[in-house]
Amino acid sequence: MANIQQRLPENVPGDFFVDATCIDCDTCSQLAPAIYRDHGEQCSVYHQPETEAETRLALMALVACPTGSIGTTNKHDAHIGIDAFPMLIAEDVYFCGFTSEKSFGGWSYLVVRPESDGGNLLIDSPRFATQLVKRIDQMGGVSQMLLTHRDDIADHERFREKFDCERIMHAEDGARRIGIEQVVEGEDVVQLSEDLLAIPTPGHTRGHVVFLYQGRFLFTGDHLAWSPSRQTLTAFPSVAWYSWAKQTESMLRLANYDFEWVLPGHGHLHHDTAQNMRYHLQSCIAWMKTH
């Protein structure tokens, strides 16, 4: 729960505020960019909501915040934010909200599929929040949990216990040590089902994996995201914990695949044509080679 006594001075006066516990994960500024902004080391409110739509987005950010750093001085119906998740992104792909401090606010996604196609997918772990878990259960539960890398596994064990789902993760990120059911090894691409690939992309971590769904939706963990400032795809050399050179090689491997969506754990998501995405990926690769 945010503390009004710790309200950051960068907040504009008014109802919504961010307090000093903010860890600068940027969830709020990505969900509601008209309300919140990253002012440097943390986020703050720069525009108070004026419409119902803006208030809804502000409350969604409040619910999604991994550290409970967003508060209000007025009373609001919390369900306006709670019931908005999972939030539809496109077709059968949803953003879970309820990010976890254990994953530094990393985003997780739900893919709703018929049982005949293998059932629902949960990509990385959100917070194990009662309201979210109940809603996921109503939407068909979780058959498989795809874990991109060790940083963003959060409450994976609790989701495993609740839904009896099969977890998939790479051996090099300690999958066996934490009891993962299906362990990916080496750098060969794994066909998990007719519409789903696991593509090893070492770099951020030694065992990082991205998942390509339907040849269109690329769940990229901490490997690849959209840069609003540069208006192209990007990677993050400051958090290449394993190897920036290896991450660059991994990015080159992605050039063999078409995709229309980049859905990262950290950073901005983006949608474009497969042709334009290929152009932006090549631009990212060229940039990485000089950094």
Side-chain angles (χ1 to χ4, degrees):
M1 181 72 70
N3 186 344
I4 189 66
Q5 302 301 320
Q6 296 186 59
R7 180 176 181 143
L8 292 170
E10 289 84 0
N11 291 290
V12 297
D15 183 15
F16 283 80
F17 66 91
V18 181
D19 76 8
T21 62
C22 171
I23 59 173
D24 199 25
C25 72
D26 283 334
T27 293
C28 63
S29 61
Q30 291 175 43
L31 260 180
I35 308 298
Y36 305 94
R37 66 178 172 186
D38 186 335
H39 63 255
E41 297 297 319
Q42 292 172 307
C43 288
S44 55
V45 175
Y46 77 98
H47 168 73
Q48 292 292 340
E50 296 176 351
T51 65
E52 285 188 13
E54 287 184 341
T55 300
R56 181 175 182 270
L57 284 170
L59 288 169
M60 288 172 66
L62 184 153
V63 168
C65 177
T67 49
S69 301
I70 300 174
T72 63
T73 56
N74 298 327
K75 186 175 177 59
H76 293 270
D77 180 0
H79 283 282
I80 294 173
I82 292 169
D83 295 344
F85 296 111
M87 180 189 82
L88 181 64
I89 294 174
E91 299 179 19
D92 51 5
V93 178
Y94 296 78
F95 166 50
C96 292
F98 293 88
T99 65
S100 173
E101 186 175 7
K102 297 174 187 175
S103 298
F104 200 77
W107 285 32
S108 56
Y109 303 90
L110 179 72
V111 176
V112 177
R113 302 189 303 177
E115 285 296 327
S116 58
D117 291 341
N120 292 354
L121 306 170
L122 184 61
I123 297 90
D124 286 330
S125 176
R127 206 181 326 147
F128 194 84
T130 302
Q131 304 96 324
L132 175 64
V133 173
K134 181 179 179 181
R135 180 67 179 133
I136 290 176
D137 202 10
Q138 293 169 345
M139 296 171 73
V142 180
S143 294
Q144 289 184 313
M145 191 171 189
L146 315 179
L147 301 171
T148 59
H149 64 295
R150 64 174 186 251
D151 300 348
D152 289 356
I153 62 176
D155 292 332
H156 71 103
E157 291 176 323
R158 298 186 68 182
F159 281 97
R160 160 68 180 168
E161 291 169 5
K162 168 65 179 175
F163 295 110
D164 192 29
C165 55
E166 177 189 54
R167 295 164 296 176
I168 299 168
M169 186 177 172
H170 201 283
E172 293 290 354
D173 267 20
R176 288 192 177 85
R177 177 177 52 79
I178 59 176
I180 297 300
E181 289 72 35
Q182 183 171 348
V183 178
V184 176
E185 297 193 66
E187 296 189 13
D188 290 339
V189 175
V190 178
Q191 183 104 33
L192 298 174
S193 64
E194 186 177 346
D195 59 1
L196 183 64
L197 296 178
I199 306 171
T201 49
H204 171 68
T205 61
R206 187 183 291 268
H208 195 288
V209 178
V210 303
F211 297 94
L212 180 59
Y213 172 61
Q214 291 187 340
R216 297 175 59 215
F217 298 93
L218 188 67
F219 299 97
T220 58
D222 288 357
H223 182 67
L224 179 68
W226 180 254
S227 169
S229 60
R230 293 174 47 231
Q231 285 294 293
T232 193
L233 292 171
T234 194
F236 309 103
S238 63
V239 291
W241 308 130
Y242 170 49
S243 167
W244 182 244
K246 195 68 176 174
Q247 188 164 347
T248 304
E249 289 178 19
S250 297
M251 206 70 75
L252 279 163
R253 297 180 69 216
L254 278 187
N256 296 320
Y257 301 92
D258 287 332
F259 53 90
E260 299 172 9
W261 285 87
V262 163
L263 301 161
H266 293 97
H268 290 261
L269 57 80
H270 189 65
H271 174 235
D272 209 331
T273 64
Q275 181 180 2
N276 285 346
M277 281 297 203
R278 183 176 293 274
Y279 167 80
H280 287 300
L281 182 61
Q282 294 294 347
S283 174
C284 176
I285 293 167
W287 175 85
M288 291 177 74
K289 289 179 176 178
T290 64
H291 286 72

